[in-house]
Amino acid sequence: MDFLKKHFEKILLGVVLLGLAVAVAFLPFVIANEKQRLEDMKTSVLHPKVEPLTNLDLSMAQAALKSVAMPVSLDLGPPNRLFNPMPWQKTADGHLVPQDKVGPSALTIVSITPLFMKLTLDSITPADPGGSPQYIIGIEKPAAYGARKIKTQDYCTTNPPTQNKTFEMLSVKGKPDDPQVIVKLKDTGETAAISTNKPFERIEGYMADLRYEPEKKHWENCRPNVRTSPPLAFNGEEYNVVAINPREVVLAAKSNGKKWTIAANPTNAAPVTAASASASP
């Protein structure tokens, strides 16, 4: 104990010096480790490790492209009429109705009937001595004559050949009491054969029966001819029939010439066979 008391300072100083020697000995290792740590930090900043890209999820973008490729069907017309409101019109009795329920759009076609040009061999007059027989040929043209069924007759011979506005006589075939008269039509140049039991028929036009339900009006035998078919008066306006075909009727407003096409129902369409000749006026 006396030794420790006498040499305490020396022993303490020796321990401190020994600790400093150990610290100095380890200092190079610490410096090397710090330099390595700083180098690693520098490398990680300047040359970072890049992870490989994964597959991108493009499902939302592809769905958006598909939706853009599909056109949008937006109907703002009937019956929605969002930006195109339906006009209304006051009728003669004062109440309001949609405009498409009055006027030409409300006109309906009851029926469309073909008009046949018909040539018939009505009678035969035997030939006088030295002469040739006379053939009485009936001519019906309801499309040209008007609303009434008008039939004219012409006395025809082959020597000299008879000519009129409708046809020219060409020849007569068959038996004298049951001949077949051959004529050439002036308008088309076609050849027609006429006998007592087989007339010649050809569609030359159409007539229509029309009805306007809002005013309970009905017109029969309307034709596309101002002379033969007077204007149709309804909805405070007059309309001329300008054309009729097997599927539709075309009207024109008398005031401004605006045209309207009225389509026929399939059941009201005009037949196109000769069997409908009996329906002609």
Coordinates of all heavy atoms in Angstrom, one line a residue, residues 89-93 95-111 208-220 222 231-239 251 260 262:
Q89 N -98.5 23.9 -83.3 CA -99.3 24.7 -84.2 C -100.7 24.7 -83.8 O -101.2 23.7 -83.3 CB -99.2 24.2 -85.6 CG -99.9 25.0 -86.7 CD -99.6 24.5 -88.1 OE1 -98.5 24.0 -88.3 NE2 -100.5 24.7 -89.0
K90 N -101.4 25.9 -83.9 CA -102.8 26.0 -83.5 C -103.6 25.6 -84.7 O -103.5 26.0 -85.8 CB -103.1 27.4 -83.1 CG -104.5 27.6 -82.7 CD -104.8 29.1 -82.2 CE -104.0 29.4 -81.0 NZ -104.4 30.7 -80.5
T91 N -104.6 24.7 -84.5 CA -105.5 24.2 -85.5 C -106.6 25.2 -85.7 O -106.7 26.2 -85.0 CB -106.0 22.8 -85.1 OG1 -106.7 22.9 -83.9 CG2 -104.9 21.8 -85.0
A92 N -107.5 24.8 -86.7 CA -108.6 25.7 -87.0 C -109.6 25.9 -85.8 O -110.2 26.9 -85.6 CB -109.4 25.2 -88.2
D93 N -109.7 24.8 -85.0 CA -110.6 25.0 -83.8 C -109.9 25.6 -82.6 O -110.5 25.6 -81.5 CB -111.2 23.6 -83.5 CG -110.1 22.5 -83.2 OD1 -108.9 22.9 -83.2 OD2 -110.5 21.4 -83.0
H95 N -107.1 24.6 -80.8 CA -106.2 23.8 -79.8 C -104.9 23.6 -80.5 O -104.7 23.6 -81.7 CB -106.9 22.5 -79.4 CG -107.0 21.5 -80.5 ND1 -107.9 21.5 -81.5 CD2 -106.2 20.4 -80.7 CE1 -107.7 20.5 -82.3 NE2 -106.7 19.8 -81.9
L96 N -103.9 23.4 -79.6 CA -102.5 23.2 -80.1 C -102.2 21.7 -80.3 O -102.6 20.8 -79.5 CB -101.5 23.8 -79.0 CG -101.6 25.3 -78.9 CD1 -100.6 25.7 -77.7 CD2 -101.2 26.0 -80.1
V97 N -101.5 21.4 -81.4 CA -101.0 20.1 -81.7 C -99.6 20.1 -82.1 O -99.1 21.1 -82.6 CB -101.9 19.4 -82.8 CG1 -103.3 19.2 -82.3 CG2 -101.9 20.2 -84.0
P98 N -98.8 19.0 -82.0 CA -97.4 19.0 -82.5 C -97.5 19.2 -84.0 O -98.4 18.8 -84.7 CB -96.9 17.6 -82.2 CG -97.7 17.2 -81.0 CD -99.1 17.8 -81.2
Q99 N -96.4 20.0 -84.5 CA -96.4 20.3 -85.9 C -96.3 19.1 -86.9 O -96.8 19.2 -88.0 CB -95.3 21.3 -86.2 CG -95.4 22.0 -87.6 CD -94.4 23.1 -87.7 OE1 -93.2 22.8 -87.6 NE2 -94.8 24.3 -88.0
D100 N -95.7 18.0 -86.4 CA -95.6 16.9 -87.2 C -96.9 16.1 -87.3 O -97.0 15.1 -88.0 CB -94.5 15.9 -86.8 CG -94.6 15.5 -85.3 OD1 -95.6 16.0 -84.7 OD2 -93.9 14.6 -84.9
K101 N -97.9 16.5 -86.5 CA -99.2 15.9 -86.6 C -100.2 16.6 -87.4 O -101.4 16.3 -87.5 CB -99.8 15.8 -85.1 CG -98.9 15.0 -84.2 CD -98.8 13.5 -84.6 CE -97.9 12.7 -83.6 NZ -97.7 11.3 -84.0
V102 N -99.8 17.7 -88.1 CA -100.6 18.5 -89.0 C -99.8 18.8 -90.2 O -98.6 18.6 -90.3 CB -101.1 19.8 -88.3 CG1 -102.0 19.5 -87.2 CG2 -99.9 20.7 -87.9
G103 N -100.5 19.3 -91.2 CA -99.8 19.6 -92.5 C -99.5 18.4 -93.3 O -100.1 17.3 -93.1
P104 N -98.7 18.5 -94.3 CA -98.4 17.3 -95.2 C -97.9 16.1 -94.5 O -98.1 15.0 -95.0 CB -97.4 17.9 -96.2 CG -97.6 19.4 -96.2 CD -98.0 19.7 -94.8
S105 N -97.1 16.3 -93.4 CA -96.6 15.1 -92.7 C -97.7 14.2 -92.1 O -97.5 13.1 -91.8 CB -95.6 15.5 -91.6 OG -96.2 16.4 -90.7
A106 N -98.9 14.8 -91.9 CA -100.0 14.1 -91.4 C -101.0 13.5 -92.5 O -102.0 12.9 -92.1 CB -100.9 15.0 -90.4
L107 N -100.6 13.8 -93.7 CA -101.4 13.2 -94.8 C -101.1 11.7 -95.0 O -99.9 11.3 -95.0 CB -101.1 14.0 -96.1 CG -102.0 13.8 -97.3 CD1 -103.4 14.4 -97.0 CD2 -101.4 14.4 -98.6
T108 N -102.1 10.9 -95.2 CA -101.9 9.5 -95.4 C -102.4 9.1 -96.7 O -103.4 9.7 -97.3 CB -102.6 8.7 -94.3 OG1 -104.0 9.0 -94.3 CG2 -102.0 9.0 -92.9
I109 N -101.8 8.0 -97.3 CA -102.2 7.5 -98.6 C -103.1 6.3 -98.3 O -102.7 5.3 -97.7 CB -101.0 7.1 -99.4 CG1 -100.1 8.3 -99.6 CG2 -101.4 6.4 -100.7 CD1 -98.8 7.9 -100.3
V110 N -104.4 6.4 -98.8 CA -105.3 5.3 -98.6 C -105.0 4.2 -99.6 O -104.9 3.0 -99.3 CB -106.7 5.8 -98.8 CG1 -107.7 4.7 -98.7 CG2 -107.1 6.9 -97.8
S111 N -104.7 4.6 -100.9 CA -104.4 3.6 -101.9 C -103.8 4.3 -103.1 O -104.0 5.5 -103.3 CB -105.6 2.8 -102.4 OG -106.6 3.7 -103.0
A208 N -104.1 8.4 -106.8 CA -104.0 8.1 -105.4 C -105.3 8.6 -104.7 O -105.8 9.6 -105.0 CB -102.8 8.7 -104.7
D209 N -105.7 7.8 -103.6 CA -106.7 8.3 -102.7 C -106.0 8.8 -101.4 O -105.2 8.0 -100.9 CB -107.7 7.2 -102.4 CG -108.6 6.9 -103.5 OD1 -108.5 7.6 -104.5 OD2 -109.4 5.9 -103.4
L210 N -106.2 10.0 -101.0 CA -105.5 10.6 -99.9 C -106.5 11.0 -98.8 O -107.7 11.3 -99.1 CB -104.7 11.8 -100.3 CG -103.8 11.6 -101.5 CD1 -103.2 12.9 -101.9 CD2 -102.7 10.6 -101.1
R211 N -106.0 11.0 -97.6 CA -106.9 11.4 -96.4 C -106.0 12.2 -95.5 O -104.9 12.0 -95.2 CB -107.4 10.1 -95.7 CG -108.3 10.4 -94.5 CD -108.9 9.2 -94.0 NE -109.8 9.5 -92.8 CZ -111.0 10.0 -92.9 NH1 -111.6 10.2 -94.1 NH2 -111.8 10.3 -91.9
Y212 N -106.7 13.3 -95.0 CA -106.1 14.2 -94.0 C -107.0 14.1 -92.7 O -108.0 14.7 -92.6 CB -106.1 15.6 -94.5 CG -105.4 16.6 -93.6 CD1 -104.0 16.4 -93.3 CD2 -106.0 17.6 -93.0 CE1 -103.4 17.3 -92.4 CE2 -105.4 18.5 -92.1 CZ -104.0 18.3 -91.8 OH -103.4 19.2 -91.0
E213 N -106.5 13.3 -91.8 CA -107.3 12.9 -90.6 C -107.6 14.1 -89.7 O -108.7 14.2 -89.1 CB -106.6 11.8 -89.8 CG -107.5 11.2 -88.7 CD -108.7 10.5 -89.2 OE1 -108.7 10.0 -90.4 OE2 -109.7 10.6 -88.5
P214 N -106.6 15.1 -89.4 CA -107.0 16.1 -88.5 C -108.2 16.9 -88.9 O -108.9 17.5 -88.0 CB -105.7 17.0 -88.6 CG -104.6 16.1 -88.9 CD -105.2 15.1 -89.8
E215 N -108.5 17.0 -90.2 CA -109.7 17.8 -90.7 C -110.7 16.8 -91.3 O -111.7 17.3 -91.9 CB -109.3 18.9 -91.6 CG -108.4 19.9 -91.1 CD -107.9 21.0 -92.1 OE1 -108.5 20.9 -93.2 OE2 -107.1 21.8 -91.7
K216 N -110.5 15.5 -91.2 CA -111.5 14.5 -91.7 C -111.7 14.8 -93.2 O -112.9 14.6 -93.6 CB -112.8 14.6 -90.9 CG -112.6 14.4 -89.4 CD -112.0 13.1 -89.0 CE -111.9 12.9 -87.5 NZ -111.2 11.7 -87.1
K217 N -110.7 15.1 -94.0 CA -110.9 15.3 -95.4 C -110.3 14.1 -96.2 O -109.4 13.4 -95.8 CB -110.1 16.5 -95.8 CG -110.7 17.8 -95.3 CD -110.0 19.0 -95.9 CE -110.7 20.3 -95.5 NZ -110.0 21.5 -96.1
H218 N -111.0 13.8 -97.3 CA -110.7 12.6 -98.1 C -110.8 13.0 -99.6 O -111.8 13.6 -100.0 CB -111.6 11.5 -97.8 CG -111.3 10.2 -98.5 ND1 -112.1 9.2 -98.7 CD2 -110.1 9.8 -99.0 CE1 -111.6 8.2 -99.3 NE2 -110.3 8.5 -99.5
W219 N -109.7 12.7 -100.3 CA -109.7 13.1 -101.8 C -109.5 11.8 -102.5 O -108.6 11.0 -102.2 CB -108.6 14.0 -102.1 CG -108.7 15.3 -101.4 CD1 -109.3 16.5 -101.8 CD2 -108.0 15.7 -100.2 NE1 -109.2 17.5 -100.9 CE2 -108.4 17.1 -99.9 CE3 -107.2 15.0 -99.2 CZ2 -107.9 17.7 -98.7 CZ3 -106.8 15.7 -98.1 CH2 -107.1 17.0 -97.9
E220 N -110.3 11.5 -103.5 CA -110.2 10.4 -104.4 C -109.7 10.7 -105.8 O -109.9 11.8 -106.2 CB -111.6 9.7 -104.5 CG -112.1 9.1 -103.2 CD -113.5 8.4 -103.4 OE1 -114.1 8.6 -104.5 OE2 -113.9 7.8 -102.4
C222 N -106.7 11.4 -107.1 CA -105.8 12.5 -107.2 C -104.7 12.1 -108.2 O -104.2 11.0 -108.2 CB -105.1 12.8 -105.9 SG -106.3 13.3 -104.6
P231 N -106.0 21.5 -106.6 CA -105.2 21.5 -105.4 C -105.9 21.0 -104.2 O -107.1 21.0 -104.1 CB -104.8 23.0 -105.2 CG -105.0 23.7 -106.5 CD -106.2 22.9 -107.2
L232 N -105.1 20.4 -103.3 CA -105.7 19.8 -102.0 C -105.6 21.0 -101.0 O -104.5 21.5 -100.7 CB -104.9 18.6 -101.6 CG -104.6 17.5 -102.6 CD1 -103.9 16.4 -102.0 CD2 -105.9 17.0 -103.2
A233 N -106.7 21.3 -100.4 CA -106.7 22.4 -99.4 C -106.9 21.8 -98.0 O -107.9 21.2 -97.7 CB -107.9 23.4 -99.7
F234 N -105.8 22.0 -97.2 CA -105.9 21.6 -95.8 C -104.9 22.3 -95.0 O -103.9 22.8 -95.6 CB -105.7 20.1 -95.7 CG -104.4 19.6 -96.2 CD1 -103.3 19.4 -95.4 CD2 -104.3 19.2 -97.5 CE1 -102.1 19.0 -95.9 CE2 -103.0 18.7 -98.0 CZ -102.0 18.6 -97.2
N235 N -105.1 22.4 -93.7 CA -104.2 23.1 -92.8 C -103.9 24.6 -93.2 O -102.8 25.1 -93.0 CB -102.9 22.3 -92.7 CG -102.1 22.8 -91.5 OD1 -102.6 23.0 -90.4 ND2 -100.8 22.9 -91.6
G236 N -104.9 25.2 -93.8 CA -104.8 26.6 -94.2 C -103.9 26.8 -95.4 O -103.4 27.9 -95.7
E237 N -103.6 25.8 -96.2 CA -102.7 25.9 -97.4 C -103.2 25.0 -98.5 O -104.0 24.1 -98.3 CB -101.3 25.4 -97.0 CG -100.2 25.4 -98.1 CD -99.9 26.8 -98.6 OE1 -100.6 27.3 -99.5 OE2 -99.0 27.4 -98.0
E238 N -102.8 25.3 -99.7 CA -103.2 24.5 -100.9 C -101.9 23.8 -101.4 O -100.9 24.4 -101.5 CB -103.8 25.4 -102.0 CG -105.2 25.9 -101.6 CD -105.9 26.6 -102.8 OE1 -105.2 27.0 -103.7 OE2 -107.2 26.6 -102.8
Y239 N -102.1 22.5 -101.8 CA -101.0 21.7 -102.3 C -101.3 21.1 -103.6 O -102.4 20.5 -103.7 CB -100.6 20.7 -101.3 CG -100.2 21.2 -99.9 CD1 -101.1 21.5 -98.9 CD2 -98.9 21.4 -99.6 CE1 -100.8 21.9 -97.7 CE2 -98.5 21.9 -98.4 CZ -99.4 22.2 -97.4 OH -99.1 22.7 -96.2
L251 N -96.1 16.2 -103.1 CA -96.9 17.4 -103.1 C -96.0 18.6 -103.1 O -94.9 18.6 -102.7 CB -97.8 17.5 -101.8 CG -98.7 16.3 -101.5 CD1 -99.5 16.6 -100.2 CD2 -99.7 16.1 -102.6
W260 N -93.2 18.1 -100.6 CA -93.3 17.1 -99.5 C -93.5 15.7 -100.2 O -94.3 15.6 -101.1 CB -94.5 17.4 -98.6 CG -94.5 18.8 -98.0 CD1 -94.8 20.0 -98.7 CD2 -94.1 19.1 -96.7 NE1 -94.6 21.0 -97.8 CE2 -94.2 20.5 -96.6 CE3 -93.6 18.4 -95.6 CZ2 -93.9 21.2 -95.4 CZ3 -93.3 19.1 -94.5 CH2 -93.5 20.5 -94.4
I262 N -94.8 11.9 -99.5 CA -95.6 11.1 -98.6 C -95.4 9.7 -99.0 O -95.7 9.3 -100.1 CB -97.1 11.5 -98.7 CG1 -97.3 13.1 -98.6 CG2 -97.9 10.8 -97.6 CD1 -96.7 13.7 -97.4

